[in-house]
Amino acid sequence: MFSRAFILKTASLAPVEKTVRNSKLFKPLVRRFIAGDTLDESLDACVVLLQKGLMVTLDILGENTESPEAANQAKATYLNMLQRISQLPEAKNASTAEAFSPEPLNISIKLTQCGLDLGIDVAEKNLCEVLDYAKSLNNFVRVDMEASDYAERTVALMSKIVTQYSNTGTVLQSYLFRTDDDVAKMISLKSRVRLVKGAYLEPASVAYPEKEKVDEAYVRQAKALLEAGHYPAIATHDEAIINELVKFVDEKKIDKKTFEFQMLYGIRRDLQESLVAKGYNVRIYVPFGDQWYPYFSRRLAERPANTMFILKSLFKG
Ligand SMILES: Cc1cc2nc3c(=O)[nH]c(=O)nc-3n(C[C@H](O)[C@H](O)[C@H](O)COP(=O)(O)OP(=O)(O)OC[C@H]3O[C@@H](n4cnc5c(N)ncnc54)[C@H](O)[C@@H]3O)c2cc1C
């Protein structure tokens, strides 16, 4: 079977990208993971999830803006997403002054879309404008974690602004060697963390190449966040890990409402709904937009069976 690295490298080849992008054959597989090309289509998908008792984080696909104009455009899109969400009756937050209740529909954004490649000050300015607007709407903005080159700048920026903005938090990736320290740091800063295994192709100098080591780190870091973190998000589809963490939460008598599980749109819907039925908070990451190819390749790399489907189709036709 193909390795994750092989699939990610092959998917990045221009002819492969062109074929997958242009072929109607792959549309159903693309649609399984991506809610739509437009904000309207994705909001329809969000409402369906909200009506099932799931929460949502909405993501406009796209990475690395290369000019201030493109970064401004990305910021305008984020502001528009927040505004449209605030108009959805299904997304109204039931929170009261006394009890924390998580926002039903928030957004996830990327610092490289905010202009991180143009300078940390550019990204900070754009991010803070988005956070100010989200704050005025009583909403939350998650900052996704990208490839390891950006990890230090992302953690530094998020640590810097956390005292000013409680309506944001970042993502930490268990495959990186640095993550135990980052988990401890974010716990001490009372910052909301989403914990993931990590989706990028990383060198062995910064990340565990072995899956078992990543899984071990994930469980260790998730337990630390569940015990001492600030409304952490346990983002995985790994059922064995989820079962172990559910057992841990029961044993430690951790309140189910002090954390949430998160999963990606289209993956393990059965597990998403069964966790909701058991009273857990579950949030679905809903991506949309026409720049879906890098996100789609990462989802293929996680599941060789999906790639086999593409390869068989390519050779058949
Ligand atoms: C809400 C959310 C947000 C994320 N944000 C980020 C981020 O900001 N930065 C980042 O680097 N990564 C992010 N990720 C991706 C993450 O790093 C992993 O690549 C991804 O979640 C797969 O890892 P896993 O924990 O599900 O475990 P795995 O061990 O990869 O998978 C466990 C099981 O889940 C199922 N599964 C997993 N992936 C697929 C798939 N593509 N298709 C079908 N079944 C699948 C399979 O049954 C598999 O056996 C995010 C993931 C989630 C759920």
Side-chain angles (χ1 to χ4, degrees):
M1 202 49 91
F2 306 111
S3 70
R4 216 175 121 251
F6 174 80
I7 296 169
L8 284 171
K9 279 193 189 133
T10 311
S12 69
L13 299 173
V16 176
E17 171 168 351
K18 195 168 164 226
T19 310
V20 175
R21 269 187 183 282
N22 295 338
S23 167
K24 284 204 174 73
L25 191 66
F26 303 128
K27 194 97 180 162
L29 191 56
V30 174
R31 273 289 160 271
R32 180 179 153 194
F33 297 119
I34 288 119
D37 287 337
T38 65
L39 180 56
D40 282 325
E41 283 169 345
S42 69
L43 287 173
D44 289 347
C46 292
V47 168
V48 171
L49 296 168
L50 291 166
Q51 286 169 343
K52 288 184 179 167
L54 294 152
M55 299 185 293
V56 177
T57 186
L58 187 60
D59 166 64
I60 169 91
L61 292 165
E63 290 157 41
N64 301 70
T65 50
E66 279 157 15
S67 68
E69 294 72 31
N72 273 334
Q73 182 54 50
K75 178 183 64 193
T77 306
Y78 295 149
L79 297 178
N80 184 38
M81 286 160 65
L82 285 165
Q83 196 223 354
R84 291 289 305 280
I85 288 171
S86 72
Q87 294 166 343
L88 270 187
E90 293 85 355
K92 287 278 169 283
N93 193 335
S95 85
T96 64
E98 301 84 57
F100 170 73
S101 113
E103 53 304 318
L105 176 42
N106 63 30
I107 66 169
S108 288
I109 73 172
K110 289 193 171 51
L111 286 184
T112 59
Q113 273 183 315
C114 290
L116 188 54
D117 291 329
L118 305 167
I120 192 123
D121 47 330
V122 178
E124 179 173 352
K125 183 172 170 294
N126 286 328
L127 172 65
C128 290
E129 274 183 53
V130 176
L131 295 181
D132 281 327
Y133 187 57
K135 209 193 240 181
S136 75
L137 299 171
N138 198 21
N139 210 339
F140 176 89
V141 177
R142 174 76 62 187
V143 174
D144 285 346
M145 187 61 86
E146 302 174 68
S148 61
D149 280 354
Y150 298 109
E152 179 52 34
R153 280 173 283 172
T154 304
V155 169
L157 178 54
M158 297 309 289
S159 308
K160 179 179 164 194
I161 63 168
V162 71
T163 47
Q164 205 182 338
Y165 296 101
S166 58
N167 64 326
T168 189
T170 193
V171 179
L172 298 178
Q173 299 154 319
S174 294
Y175 63 14
L176 295 184
F177 300 146
R178 57 176 291 148
T179 296
D180 284 298
D181 290 343
D182 289 337
V183 164
K185 184 174 199 174
M186 292 302 168
I187 288 176
S188 73
L189 291 170
K190 295 193 170 29
S191 184
R192 271 168 73 170
V193 170
R194 174 200 292 154
L195 186 68
V196 300
K197 288 189 189 174
Y200 296 82
L201 188 55
E202 297 293 356
S205 53
V206 299
Y208 300 110
E210 310 90 353
K211 182 171 163 42
E212 311 82 70
K213 290 252 172 69
V214 179
D215 289 357
E216 258 172 54
Y218 192 94
V219 171
R220 182 172 70 243
Q221 292 153 3
K223 286 182 175 173
L225 286 165
L226 287 166
E227 277 206 289
H230 183 62
Y231 194 70
I234 306 301
T236 180
H237 317 90
D238 190 322
E239 200 165 356
I241 289 185
I242 290 174
N243 289 341
E244 180 170 350
L245 295 176
V246 162
K247 201 163 148 248
F248 177 77
V249 163
D250 284 348
E251 279 165 11
K252 297 278 175 185
K253 302 199 175 7
I254 295 169
D255 182 347
K256 279 179 182 167
K257 296 298 169 197
T258 60
F259 67 94
E260 63 187 36
F261 287 111
Q262 292 193 354
M263 294 189 209
L264 300 176
Y265 184 72
I267 301 183
R268 293 301 313 263
R269 293 184 197 125
D270 56 334
L271 190 53
Q272 299 170 8
E273 290 177 22
S274 82
L275 286 167
V276 170
K278 288 178 191 150
Y280 293 98
N281 288 340
V282 182
R283 187 179 301 277
I284 308 306
Y285 185 102
V286 174
F288 76 97
D290 54 11
Q291 291 187 51
W292 47 264
Y293 190 74
Y295 176 90
F296 180 69
S297 324
R298 293 196 288 274
R299 302 294 78 79
L300 289 185
E302 284 152 6
R303 182 98 167 137
N306 295 336
T307 313
M308 280 307 290
F309 170 81
I310 298 246
L311 287 178
K312 276 188 196 148
S313 315
L314 287 174
F315 285 117
K316 265 191 218 152

